[in-house]
Amino acid sequence: MSAFGLATALVASLLMPSAADAAETLLSQGKPATASSIEGSGFEAAKAVDGNASTRWASIEGHDPEWIQVDLGSAQAISRVKLTWEAAYAKSYQVRISTDGSSWTNAYSTTSGDGGTDDVTVAGTARFVRINGTARGTSYGYSLYEFQVYGGNGGPPPGSGDAAVPFGGHTIPYAAGMLRPSGTQSALDAKVVDYYQRWKAAFVRQNCGNGWYQVISPDADHPYVAEAQGYGMVIAATMAGADPDAKKIFDGLVKWTIDHPSSVNPDLLAAEQDVNCRSVNGGDGATDGDMDVAYGLLLADRQWGSAGTYNYKQLAIRHINAIKKDELNPSTNLLKLGDWSSSGDQYYYISRTSDWMVDHFRAFRTATGDSAWDTVRNAHQTAIATLQSGFAPSTGLLPDFVVNTNTSPRPAPGQVLEDPNDGQFWWNACRTPWRIGEDAVISADSRSLAAARKLNTWIRSKTGGNPDQIALGYRLNGTQISTGSEPAFFAPFAVTAMTDPGGQAWLDALWNKMLNTPIGTDSYYSASIQLQVMITVTHNHWVP
C-alpha cells in the first residue's frame, strides 16, 4: 500500500463510529462552519464537518491563534468533541462553547496536544462550538480532517442511560454560601471529567470474566478490596451523563458485590479478593466498603430506577440493614470495623473515623424510613465534637482509630489494628476533612460546619495558605509525621475550604494543586480520593 493509501486508510479508521459514538448523536455533520482563516480554496471550514475522511479544513500557515467553529442550529446538550487532526495539529488549544456566539466558555483545554485523534468529554449546553488553537505543533498551520460534536437536544446527554441527575447538570444545589473554585462551571466540570477518564483508564478493569467490573488496588494488600469497589460504585453513578458506559460499569460492579458475599453476612461484600478474583482472609466484610456500596446503590436507584437488570433500591436496603445488623455497635451506635467483630472481642469498641460518613447516614434514613439512622448520625457527630475538643482543641484533627467507644472514646494509644500511628491523623483519618466537609456543604448542619471550619482554619494557618506545605500525616497537636505531598492528604482539605466565606484564594490554591498533580496510576487510594473531592468541590456531589 502506498503512503498515501495508508494515510487515507488510517483517517478512515479514525472516523469509523466507536461504541461511544454509536451511543450518541453526531450533531455537527453538515452544519454551518466558519473559521478565522483558510489556507486556500478547497480547505474551507465546511470540509471539517462534511463526514468525508479525505477532505479537511486548513488555516493559513505560520500564524497563531486560529479557530474553527460550528453552528449546531440550536442549543444542545453536548457530551463529546472528537477531533481528527492532519499532520498540522494544535499543541495548545481550547474547546469553547457558547449559546449565542458572542459569550464563550472554555469547556476543555490542553497544552500538550500531540495530533492524531483527540476524543474529549465536554459537559455543557451550546449552540456554537469552537476549537481555538493557540500554539501550533508544527511550522505550518492548523488542519482538521473532521471536527465532530456529539450530544443531544435537552435532557441528559445521550449515552447517560437517561440519568435523572446527570453529571454537570447541577440540579441539586448545595447549601447557600458554599464556595467553588474560580472559573466557569463548565470548565470546572470538564476538569473533573478529564481526571475521571484518566482514573478510569488506570483502575477500572474487567478481569476474570463473568460480567464483572472491578476497581483494582495496586497499593493495597490485595488486588481487589471492598473500599475500592465502593468508591467505584459511587463514582460511576455520579458520573452518569458524562460517561456513556457509567451504567454498564456500575452493573458490573453490582455483579461483583453479589458474587463476592461476606462470609458473615451475605448481604455485605467480602473485603478482599486475590488475582483469581476469589475472596480471601476469611471473606468477611469491611465497614468502609459496605457504606459506599449501599450509598452507590441509592445513587443508582435515583439515576436509573430499579426496574432493570438489578433492583438497586432493594439491594441498597438489604445492604443498609446488614450494616445496621453486623457493622454497627448497638450499644454505642458507632460503626464497628467490620462484620467480623463481635461482642467480647478486643475490637468491639474500636471505630475508624474515616468510616463516619454523615451524609450516608442521612441517605440511609431517607431510603429506609428507619429513625435509628438519625440516632446513628447524632452519635457520630457527637463523637467528632468530643474528639476535636478533648484531644485536638487547636487542630480539630481526628485519629485513624478511636478506642473505648463504650466508655470514654479516645484516640488509639498506639497500634491497635494497622500502624503505630493508629491514634494520629494518618492514612485513614486523612479522609475525614472530606467526609465531614461533604455533609457540611450539602446540609449546612451546624455541627458538621463547625467541625469542618475548625479543620480548615488550622490547616490554612499551619501551611500559610500553601497546599505544598500539607504534610503526610500529623499528630493530633499539629506536629507533622512525615514529609512529602500526597493527594490523600491535601485534597480532602479542599472540601473544608468550601465552608470558609473568605477562603476563595485558599480553595483555588488547593484546586490548582490537584490539577497540577499527575494521577498516580500505582495508587487507587489517592487518585480515588482526589477524584471524589473534585466532584464535591465543583458542586457535583449529591445525596439521594
Side-chain angles (χ1 to χ4, degrees):
M1 180 180 289
S2 69
F4 174 78
L6 180 61
T8 302
L10 174 61
V11 172
S13 71
L14 292 172
L15 294 179
M16 290 180 66
S18 65
D21 298 341
E24 298 168 301
T25 301
L26 177 57
L27 304 173
S28 53
Q29 191 159 305
K31 296 296 174 63
T34 54
S36 54
S37 71
I38 62 171
E39 182 182 341
S41 178
F43 297 103
E44 294 82 8
K47 302 296 185 181
V49 294
D50 61 2
N52 186 336
S54 63
T55 63
R56 60 188 175 93
W57 161 72
S59 73
I60 59 173
E61 296 184 354
H63 183 263
D64 295 312
E66 296 288 342
W67 55 262
I68 180 173
Q69 75 182 45
V70 62
D71 178 357
L72 304 179
S74 63
Q76 306 273 346
I78 63 172
S79 53
R80 288 191 305 127
V81 171
K82 187 174 182 179
L83 306 173
T84 307
W85 295 98
E86 195 252 355
Y89 67 94
K91 181 179 180 182
S92 297
Y93 69 90
Q94 303 89 42
V95 178
R96 310 193 74 194
I97 61 176
S98 173
T99 56
D100 59 9
S102 60
S103 178
W104 295 89
T105 296
N106 277 349
Y108 172 83
S109 65
T110 183
T111 58
S112 56
D114 57 3
T117 299
D118 291 342
D119 195 343
V120 300
T121 301
V122 177
T125 300
R127 173 176 172 175
F128 302 90
V129 181
R130 174 181 290 188
I131 306 303
N132 187 50
T134 53
R136 289 164 289 118
T138 70
S139 61
Y140 301 103
Y142 298 90
S143 185
L144 284 167
Y145 284 111
E146 283 295 293
F147 168 20
Q148 297 170 307
V149 180
Y150 290 89
N153 188 20
S160 69
D162 296 322
V165 190
F167 178 86
H170 303 282
T171 56
I172 301 177
Y174 280 27
M178 297 302 154
L179 302 180
R180 75 187 76 203
S182 297
T184 65
Q185 185 65 67
S186 61
L188 296 175
D189 292 347
K191 292 295 186 183
V192 180
V193 173
D194 175 68
Y195 195 88
Y196 164 73
Q197 295 291 359
R198 286 184 280 146
W199 172 88
K200 177 181 168 183
F203 304 110
V204 177
R205 295 290 184 271
Q206 286 182 284
N207 293 337
C208 303
N210 209 32
W212 293 329
Y213 270 88
Q214 315 95 344
V215 175
I216 60 169
S217 49
D219 46 328
D221 291 338
H222 294 86
Y224 314 103
V225 295
E227 175 186 75
Q229 313 322 315
Y231 285 162
M233 291 175 74
V234 171
I235 290 167
T238 303
M239 297 305 296
D243 182 359
D245 292 330
K247 189 174 187 298
K248 180 173 68 174
I249 293 170
F250 188 89
D251 282 355
L253 290 165
V254 171
K255 191 173 192 305
W256 176 271
T257 66
I258 293 172
D259 292 347
H260 294 86
S262 166
S263 59
V264 176
N265 188 323
D267 286 331
L268 298 173
L269 171 61
E272 299 165 323
Q273 289 77 38
D274 62 15
V275 293
N276 298 311
C277 302
R278 295 176 300 200
S279 295
V280 293
N281 284 357
D284 42 36
T287 301
D288 51 1
D290 286 319
M291 288 286 290
D292 273 335
V293 167
Y295 192 79
L297 287 163
L298 293 177
L299 292 173
D301 173 64
R302 177 70 182 276
Q303 287 285 37
W304 301 300
S306 289
T309 303
Y310 299 105
N311 187 326
Y312 304 129
K313 184 67 172 290
Q314 182 184 71
L315 289 170
I317 290 177
R318 282 168 51 184
H319 217 86
I320 292 166
N321 289 338
I323 291 171
K324 180 182 176 184
K325 177 178 181 293
D326 285 313
E327 293 183 331
L328 184 71
N329 189 308
S331 63
T332 65
N333 286 305
L334 296 177
L335 291 170
K336 299 190 298 174
L337 301 174
D339 61 1
W340 47 268
S341 176
S342 58
S343 180
D345 71 34
Q346 61 181 315
Y347 303 104
Y348 193 58
Y349 293 109
I350 298 177
S351 190
R352 182 190 290 107
T353 60
S354 53
D355 296 353
W356 299 357
M357 308 171 197
V358 177
D359 61 345
H360 289 35
F361 298 141
R362 295 186 194 277
F364 296 173
R365 169 66 166 92
T366 300
T368 63
D370 185 353
S371 62
W373 289 108
D374 289 332
T375 303
V376 170
R377 175 172 55 81
N378 287 327
H380 285 85
Q381 288 183 296
T382 297
I384 291 169
T386 299
L387 289 164
Q388 284 189 322
S389 62
F391 299 93
S394 63
T395 66
L397 295 170
L398 299 183
D400 275 11
F401 295 96
V402 179
V403 300
N404 296 354
T405 59
N406 59 324
T407 54
S408 300
R410 62 186 181 89
Q415 184 168 351
V416 296
L417 187 69
E418 295 181 358
D419 188 276
N421 289 312
D422 279 353
Q424 310 300 337
F425 183 82
W426 195 226
W427 282 96
N428 284 289
C430 62
R431 295 171 286 184
T432 57
W434 157 43
R435 294 302 194 184
I436 292 170
E438 207 161 50
D439 185 65
V441 300
I442 294 291
S443 72
D445 181 280
S446 60
R447 290 167 296 177
S448 292
L449 278 170
R453 285 170 172 160
K454 189 173 187 66
L455 285 162
N456 178 68
T457 298
W458 171 75
I459 193 64
R460 185 179 171 189
S461 173
K462 175 74 173 179
T463 62
N466 180 1
D468 292 337
Q469 299 301 311
I470 297 177
L472 297 188
Y474 293 94
R475 294 179 179 84
L476 300 189
N477 65 4
T479 303
Q480 76 176 47
I481 295 174
S482 182
T483 59
S485 183
E486 187 74 29
F489 283 92
F490 66 73
F493 284 112
V495 185
T496 59
M498 299 172 69
T499 68
D500 178 5
Q504 188 66 57
W506 169 232
L507 175 58
D508 287 346
L510 286 158
W511 174 252
N512 290 327
K513 171 78 170 172
M514 288 188 276
L515 296 184
N516 293 326
T517 300
I519 192 167
T521 56
D522 59 345
S523 177
Y524 91 92
Y525 187 72
S526 271
S528 299
I529 291 170
Q530 174 165 319
L531 174 55
Q532 291 175 90
V533 166
M534 292 175 72
I535 287 169
T536 299
V537 300
T538 56
H539 289 223
N540 282 294
H541 175 65
W542 50 279
V543 179

